[in-house]
């Protein structure tokens, strides 16, 4: 369960959300491998070199949380689900299996594309005992001093990712699971085993990337849910079920394993976002009932709403403010961003009856999302990304002098 103490370092004052722009030669080689025109071993060599370079970039920008840029993945969630026993990736899925009002599904359909990687349950779900993330972590350990292994951040898939997007009854066969509760229970057991494997290897810093929670803030999604007569319960019932599901997934994690939740609004091709709406609808439940240490929230545009929901942040939890956009190259004004951090701190302070200085102890700053949640990346160049990362570091240095 979540630590009763405030977790620090991680998270750090200057954070980024994991994915970073892939080099062109890496993308070209992966495309060649996918077409059978190159060997996977050739791709691995390019990935290794690219990861070395991007780790050095993070060091040069002054960041302590360290990722591999998600360079070995095509999409931000990685390959956790398709490698579980009882789960299977299907190709050319029937569009009717999806809830068309889910923001990510709607975005794919609008572009006349099939929704990204479709994995469904075909049998009882169980972890195989082999982690698909472990190789990524072990390679990062070779690039980071041992005393900094605890800074390495692994981004993990949201446990309910392959449930919410499917129509009622389509996530699993009824002859395998009789209810969502049974289905969630087995995924939670697999998730706990995954965290155990990664913890034994030395991982202490986890970030779960979850666009689904942001969907509960979307008027379009909520309207679509209400109009969908196949749905058994309300959207609020589902939110409650997901919070319980998450807490089951995290119930056995050691107290020195930091877990953060990035409530993502989507990073589609062309820097397209998926969902809109302030955090007001979900803040109380998500902040007070979900057993995570840190919330990485997106505050780069008005679509995220104001800071008022931060009044509900408990005193033993952190918030990282994503005030710098990773979607577009235009640089933010540093002084304006500092004002926004202080404004957010005043709201946190009001909610907890503390001072701005006390509130700032539970806060940090970051880009609002990754720079390449999908392999192609956002509408920014490498130099733009570096400038944005350095701006995050500068803001952190001026708001929290001398802190990592």
């Amino acid at each position: 369960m979540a630590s009763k103490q405030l977790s620090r370092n991680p998270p750090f004052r200057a954070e980024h959300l994991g994915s970073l722009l892939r080099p062109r030669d890496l993308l070209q080689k992966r495309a060649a491998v996918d077409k059978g025109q190159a060997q996977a071993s050739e791709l691995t060599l390019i990935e290794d070199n690219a990861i070395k370079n991007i780790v050095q970039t993070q060091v040069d920008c002054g960041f302590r949380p360290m990722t591999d840029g998600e360079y070995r993945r095509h999409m931000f969630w990685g390959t956790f689900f398709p490698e579980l026993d009882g789960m299977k990736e299907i190709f050319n899925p029937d569009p009717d299996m999806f809830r068309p009002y889910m923001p990510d599904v709607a975005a794919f359909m609008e572009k006349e594309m099939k929704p990204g990687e479709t994995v469904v349950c075909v049998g009882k779900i169980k972890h195989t005992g082999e982690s698909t993330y472990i190789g990524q972590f072990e390679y990062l350990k070779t690039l980071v001093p041992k005393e900094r292994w605890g800074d390495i951040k692994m981004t993990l898939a949201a446990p309910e990712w392959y449930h919410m997007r499917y129509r009622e009854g389509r996530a699993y066969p009824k002859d395998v699971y009789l209810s969502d509760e049974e289905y969630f229970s087995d995924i939670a057991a697999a998730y706990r085993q995954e965290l155990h494997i990664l913890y034994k290897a030395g991982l202490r810093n986890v970030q779960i990337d979850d666009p689904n929670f942001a969907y509960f803030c979307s008027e379009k999604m909520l309207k679509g849910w209400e109009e969908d007569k196949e749905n058994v319960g309300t959207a609020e019932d589902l939110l409650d079920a997901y919070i319980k599901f998450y807490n089951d997934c995290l119930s056995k994690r050691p107290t020195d394993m930091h877990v953060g939740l990035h409530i993502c609004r989507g990073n589609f091709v062309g820097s397209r976002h998926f969902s809109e709406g302030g955090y007001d609808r979900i803040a109380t439940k998500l902040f007070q009932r979900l057993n995570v240490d840190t919330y990485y929230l997106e505050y780069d545009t008005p679509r995220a709403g104001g800071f008022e929901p931060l009044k509900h942040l408990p005193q033993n939890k952190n918030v990282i403010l994503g005030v710098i956009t990773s979607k577009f190259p235009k640089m933010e004004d540093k002084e304006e961003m500092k004002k926004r951090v202080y404004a957010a701190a005043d709201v946190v302070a009001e909610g907890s009856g503390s001072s701005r200085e006390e509130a700032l102890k539970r806060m940090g700053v970051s880009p609002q999302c990754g720079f390449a949640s999908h392999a192609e990346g956002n509408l920014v160049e490498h130099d733009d990304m570096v400038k944005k990362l350095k701006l995050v570091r500068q803001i952190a240095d001026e708001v929290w002098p001398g802190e990592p």
Side-chain angles (χ1 to χ4, degrees):
M1 55 188 295
S3 170
K4 294 179 181 178
Q5 300 295 318
L6 183 70
S7 180
R8 289 299 329 157
N9 299 334
F12 300 93
R13 302 305 182 193
E15 287 272 350
H16 70 80
L17 279 298
S19 68
L20 299 164
L21 290 175
R22 278 98 162 151
R24 190 164 301 279
D25 63 337
L26 190 158
L27 295 175
Q28 291 172 341
K29 185 62 72 174
R30 177 166 291 139
V33 170
D34 289 344
K35 294 174 183 175
Q37 298 170 354
Q39 298 296 314
S41 57
E42 299 174 47
L43 175 61
T44 300
L45 289 174
I46 291 177
E47 288 173 341
D48 288 351
N49 187 58
I51 292 168
K52 286 179 186 176
N53 291 337
I54 203 62
V55 164
Q56 189 58 51
T57 297
Q58 293 169 79
V59 171
D60 292 344
C61 289
F63 280 76
R64 278 276 298 274
M66 201 62 54
T67 79
D68 64 0
E70 300 179 1
Y71 281 5
R72 300 194 197 276
R73 309 181 192 183
H74 173 65
M75 295 293 287
F76 66 88
W77 55 77
T79 55
F80 172 70
F81 281 102
E83 295 302 319
L84 295 177
D85 283 345
M87 296 291 274
K88 180 182 180 181
E89 183 173 4
I90 59 174
F91 302 91
N92 301 312
D94 179 357
D96 286 340
M97 73 181 291
F98 299 97
R99 288 177 165 128
Y101 47 87
M102 287 300 153
D104 63 307
V105 174
F108 280 108
M109 299 297 190
E110 184 182 303
K111 295 289 185 181
E112 297 184 350
M113 298 170 65
K114 62 182 181 182
E117 189 187 77
T118 300
V119 178
V120 296
C121 170
V122 293
K124 286 288 186 182
I125 296 167
K126 185 179 179 183
H127 200 288
T128 65
E130 299 288 330
S131 167
T132 62
Y133 293 116
I134 195 74
Q136 298 167 33
F137 179 61
E138 292 292 353
Y139 184 68
L140 270 172
K141 284 165 63 176
T142 69
L143 305 178
V144 176
K146 188 172 183 179
E147 63 271 17
R148 291 288 171 85
W149 285 357
D151 298 353
I152 294 172
K153 179 160 70 173
M154 290 295 295
T155 53
L156 306 187
E160 83 287 25
W161 183 241
Y162 288 115
H163 180 267
M164 190 173 187
R165 64 202 331 235
Y166 302 141
R167 287 188 181 277
E168 190 78 38
R170 297 291 192 97
Y172 51 85
K174 284 297 183 184
D175 60 345
V176 176
Y177 293 110
L178 294 176
S179 65
D180 283 352
E181 288 75 17
E182 288 186 7
Y183 171 75
F184 292 159
S185 179
D186 278 358
I187 293 179
Y191 216 92
R192 290 194 298 270
Q193 187 166 354
E194 181 70 31
L195 291 175
H196 177 68
I197 292 168
L198 293 169
Y199 183 85
K200 284 203 306 180
L203 181 68
R204 298 295 182 271
N205 191 9
V206 170
Q207 175 188 304
I208 301 172
D209 291 319
D210 197 334
N212 287 347
F213 278 125
Y215 296 174
F216 290 98
C217 306
S218 166
E219 292 287 352
K220 284 184 181 179
M221 191 290 284
L222 294 172
K223 185 172 185 291
W225 182 277
E226 193 172 336
E227 293 174 349
D228 184 348
K229 301 309 178 188
E230 291 185 20
N231 291 328
V232 174
T234 65
E236 200 69 18
D237 292 335
L238 189 66
L239 175 62
D240 291 340
Y242 284 166
I243 291 172
K244 182 179 178 183
F245 180 22
Y246 254 84
N247 289 342
D248 193 14
C249 291
L250 302 175
S251 61
K252 299 292 179 65
R253 67 160 169 130
T255 56
D256 63 340
M257 175 180 253
H258 166 262
V259 175
L261 174 69
H262 173 216
I263 304 176
C264 175
R265 296 182 184 279
N267 241 0
F268 192 37
V269 176
S271 291
R272 161 81 183 267
H273 66 278
F274 287 149
S275 60
E276 301 183 359
Y279 294 114
D280 310 68
R281 290 181 178 275
I282 61 175
T284 304
K285 287 183 177 181
L286 223 57
F287 292 165
Q288 297 181 2
R289 287 170 44 188
L290 193 67
N291 292 332
V292 298
D293 302 300
T294 299
Y295 300 88
Y296 300 89
L297 303 183
E298 301 195 355
Y299 276 114
D300 61 322
T301 70
R303 68 172 172 268
F307 294 129
E308 285 303 301
L310 298 179
K311 286 194 295 189
H312 302 287
L313 187 74
Q315 294 195 35
N316 66 335
K317 294 188 178 185
N318 303 280
V319 62
I320 307 299
L321 302 171
V323 295
I324 305 297
T325 187
S326 64
K327 294 181 183 296
F328 304 107
K330 183 180 178 181
M331 292 295 290
E332 290 81 359
D333 180 87
K334 182 179 66 175
E335 294 305 317
E336 286 300 314
M337 295 304 102
K338 286 165 58 180
K339 287 179 184 177
R340 297 202 71 203
V341 171
Y342 291 132
D346 289 341
V347 174
V348 173
E350 180 188 350
S352 58
S354 61
S355 66
R356 174 191 284 186
E357 290 69 28
E358 285 297 313
L360 284 169
K361 292 179 181 178
R362 296 187 277 137
M363 298 173 66
V365 67
S366 73
Q368 110 287 346
C369 196
F371 287 88
S373 301
H374 51 87
E376 291 84 357
N378 293 347
L379 295 176
V380 294
E381 300 296 332
H382 179 83
D383 288 349
D384 301 322
M385 177 181 73
V386 171
K387 288 177 184 176
K388 296 267 184 176
L389 292 173
K390 287 182 176 179
L391 178 58
V392 168
R393 182 69 264 176
Q394 290 166 10
I395 294 168
D397 286 342
E398 294 183 21
V399 176
W400 301 275
E403 296 190 45

